[in-house]
Amino acid sequence: MDALPEPEVPAPRVVGVDEYATRKGRHYGTVLVDIETRRPIDLLPDREASSLAAWLAERPGIEVICRDRAPFFAEGAAAGAPQAVQVADRWHLWHNLSEAAERAVAQHRRCLHTLVPASPQPEPKPAPEEELPGSPWPTGHRFADRTRARHASVHALLEAGHSRRSIQRQLGMTWRTVKQLADAAAPEELFTGQWQNRPSVLDDYKPYLDDRWNEGFTNAWKLWEEIVPLGYKGSYQRVRAYLHKKRTSPRPVTARPPSPRTVSGWILSRPETLTEPEQLHLKTVRTHCPELDALTRHVRSFAVMLTERQGERLPDWLDAVRQDDLPSLHTLAAGIDRDLAAVIAGLTLPWSSGAVEGHVNRIKMLKRQMFGRAGFALLRKRVLLSQ
C-alpha cells in the first residue's frame, strides 16, 4: 500500500478538523476533512497548533474551518488561515450545555425532594414493661443485655449454694467481676460505665450527615471528606461507624427523588416529547426552585437559537445567564466568551463537524485492523485511500 499513489484532492474550501487518538490518553493526531465532499484530506501526526497552522498556510483558498472548541485548533486556525471563518461545532456546544445543566441540577438537589410524597410517621413503640423506669440503658443495648444476663447467672448460682470461687471457675470470670455482680442487688447498679450519654466530636455534624444520607449519598469516605472542611477533627472510623448503624437499622421504605441526571434530561428535552407525569414533575420543581426555573428557560432559549440558527441572539443570552445564580452556566458563558465569534458562526452557518466525527470513528476501526503493527505513514495512506 505504501507504493500506491495518494489520491488527488481538489483544493478544499470548507475544512473540518478534529483530533484522533493514536494511543488514547497519551498521543493524538489531527484529521482534516473536506466538509463539502465529506472526504478525508490529510492526517497529521500530532495536534499541535503549529502543525495545523503550517498545513493551512499551504492552502490559501480555505474559507471556512469547522472545529470543536479546543484551544490548539483555534490558535492553529487563526495563525494558518486568518482569512477563514471559524465555526464551532453545534453538537459540542449542546453537549457542553448539557453537562453544565446537570451540574446545576445537582447543586440544587434539595429542590428535588418536593417530588417525594410525605410518608406517614410511624407510631412510637411502647416501652417494654420489664424495663425499669430508672434504667439508663434500654433493652436491646448490647452492654446492658450482657450485664443483665451475667448478673442473673451469678445470682442464680449463689441462691443454689455455690461459693464465689466456684462461680468464678464455672463462668470463667475474674474474681473482681464475680464480686461486682454478686454485690449488686440489681444489674442497673452497674450501669455507670463509659458508654452512657458521652458527648462525641461527631455530634455537631450528625445533622449534616443525616441530610446527605436522606439525599441518597451514603459513601462514608466522601462524607468524611465533606465534613472535614466544616471543622470536624475526628477520625474517619467514627463517621463510618455512625453510617454503618444507619445502614443496618431497619428503615421505612420511602420513595427516592429523581436523580439530577433524570431531571436535567427533562430540562434538555423538547417539552412536547415529555410524558404527562414528567411535565408535571418538572413544573413542580420549577415552582419550588427559582434557580432551576431559570435554568430551564436558559436551556430552552439556547435550543431555539441552535435549531433556528439565531446566533445573533447569543450575546443577549449570555447577559441573561449572568443575571441568575447558576455558577455552572457562568463557567460555560466564560468559555463561550473566549471563542465568541466561532460560537456565533456555529449557531448561524449551516456547516458542522458531523462528517469529521464519522471519519474519527473510521480511524478507530482501521487502527484495530492493523492492531499496532504499522506506523503513522500506513495509517494515513489507508485513511486517504479507503473511501
Side-chain angles (χ1 to χ4, degrees):
M1 182 170 283
D2 286 341
L4 294 176
E6 294 187 6
E8 295 184 3
V9 179
R13 188 177 68 90
V14 183
V15 172
V17 56
D18 202 354
E19 64 184 12
Y20 68 92
T22 54
R23 189 170 185 182
K24 189 173 181 180
R26 298 192 179 185
H27 191 267
Y28 291 85
T30 302
V31 58
L32 296 118
V33 176
D34 188 330
I35 297 299
E36 291 182 301
T37 63
R38 307 181 74 85
R39 294 172 63 92
I41 306 172
D42 207 347
L43 252 66
L44 305 180
D46 56 49
R47 59 177 181 183
E48 299 295 328
S50 57
S51 300
L52 177 61
W55 189 92
L56 294 172
E58 297 174 356
R59 297 161 178 81
I62 294 176
E63 301 176 7
V64 179
I65 300 175
C66 300
R67 59 171 178 81
D68 60 21
R69 293 167 55 216
F72 38 84
F73 288 150
E75 295 170 6
Q83 78 284 354
V85 176
Q86 298 187 36
V87 178
D89 183 57
R90 288 185 293 276
W91 184 89
H92 288 93
L93 292 172
W94 184 252
H95 180 67
N96 294 339
L97 178 63
S98 302
E99 292 178 330
E102 184 173 345
R103 290 195 301 270
V105 176
Q107 290 166 355
H108 296 86
R109 60 169 63 87
R110 288 179 180 271
C111 301
L112 308 185
H113 287 276
T114 60
L115 301 179
V116 179
S119 57
Q121 295 295 328
E123 297 182 0
K125 296 181 179 179
E129 295 182 359
E130 68 275 10
E131 186 174 328
L132 297 179
S135 173
W137 280 342
T139 301
H141 193 291
R142 60 190 182 108
F143 297 111
D145 291 346
R146 185 179 65 180
T147 302
R148 289 190 178 100
R150 298 173 77 182
H151 181 273
S153 299
V154 168
H155 281 264
L157 292 173
L158 287 173
E159 292 175 2
H162 295 270
S163 67
R164 295 187 179 187
R165 290 293 182 185
S166 174
I167 295 173
Q168 176 187 350
R169 289 192 301 271
Q170 293 182 57
L171 299 182
M173 298 179 180
T174 65
W175 170 256
R176 175 183 173 83
T177 301
V178 173
K179 183 177 184 303
Q180 287 179 335
L181 293 170
D183 292 342
E188 283 71 23
E189 295 179 13
L190 303 172
F191 294 172
T192 56
Q194 57 183 321
W195 306 286
Q196 296 183 71
N197 302 323
R198 187 172 66 173
S200 167
V201 294
L202 190 61
D203 288 344
D204 292 339
Y205 306 94
K206 288 179 179 179
Y208 178 86
L209 295 176
D210 292 341
D211 289 341
R212 296 289 280 132
W213 180 274
N214 293 333
E215 292 170 4
F217 198 86
T218 60
N219 187 298
W221 183 265
K222 295 294 184 182
L223 290 176
W224 173 71
E225 289 182 333
E226 289 183 12
I227 63 176
V228 166
L230 301 180
Y232 174 66
K233 303 296 184 182
S235 65
Y236 157 71
Q237 285 76 12
R238 192 180 296 270
V239 177
R240 184 182 63 179
Y242 178 70
L243 295 180
H244 177 73
K245 184 177 180 181
K246 295 175 71 67
R247 186 175 287 111
T248 56
S249 62
R251 302 187 300 274
V253 179
T254 58
R256 295 183 64 179
S259 66
R261 174 167 293 185
T262 299
V263 176
S264 63
W266 299 343
I267 294 174
L268 292 160
S269 300
R270 292 178 179 269
E272 62 271 17
T273 63
L274 297 176
T275 64
E276 186 174 346
E278 290 172 343
Q279 293 179 8
L280 182 61
H281 290 333
L282 181 57
K283 181 178 180 181
T284 303
V285 170
R286 295 181 64 180
T287 301
H288 288 83
C289 186
E291 290 82 6
L292 295 187
D293 180 56
L295 173 67
T296 305
R297 287 188 283 104
H298 293 318
V299 167
R300 291 180 175 176
S301 176
F302 191 91
V304 172
M305 267 195 303
L306 187 145
T307 55
E308 298 184 5
R309 305 287 195 276
Q310 298 177 353
E312 69 280 358
R313 291 177 46 200
L314 182 61
D316 294 336
W317 184 85
L318 295 174
D319 291 338
V321 163
R322 294 188 180 96
Q323 301 302 316
D324 294 306
D325 184 20
L326 295 167
S328 60
L329 286 193
H330 294 175
T331 302
L332 175 67
I336 290 177
D337 268 337
R338 291 190 292 269
D339 202 17
L340 186 60
V343 175
I344 292 178
L347 296 175
T348 306
L349 302 179
W351 309 110
S352 73
S353 301
V356 189
E357 297 293 342
H359 283 289
V360 170
N361 285 331
R362 194 164 64 87
I363 291 173
K364 294 178 183 177
M365 181 267 294
L366 294 175
K367 282 170 47 189
R368 293 189 183 99
Q369 288 180 345
M370 295 193 299
F371 199 61
R373 292 189 292 268
F376 168 76
L378 181 58
L379 176 62
R380 176 177 178 275
K381 186 65 70 70
R382 287 199 65 181
V383 170
L384 297 181
L385 292 178
S386 58
Q387 301 297 326

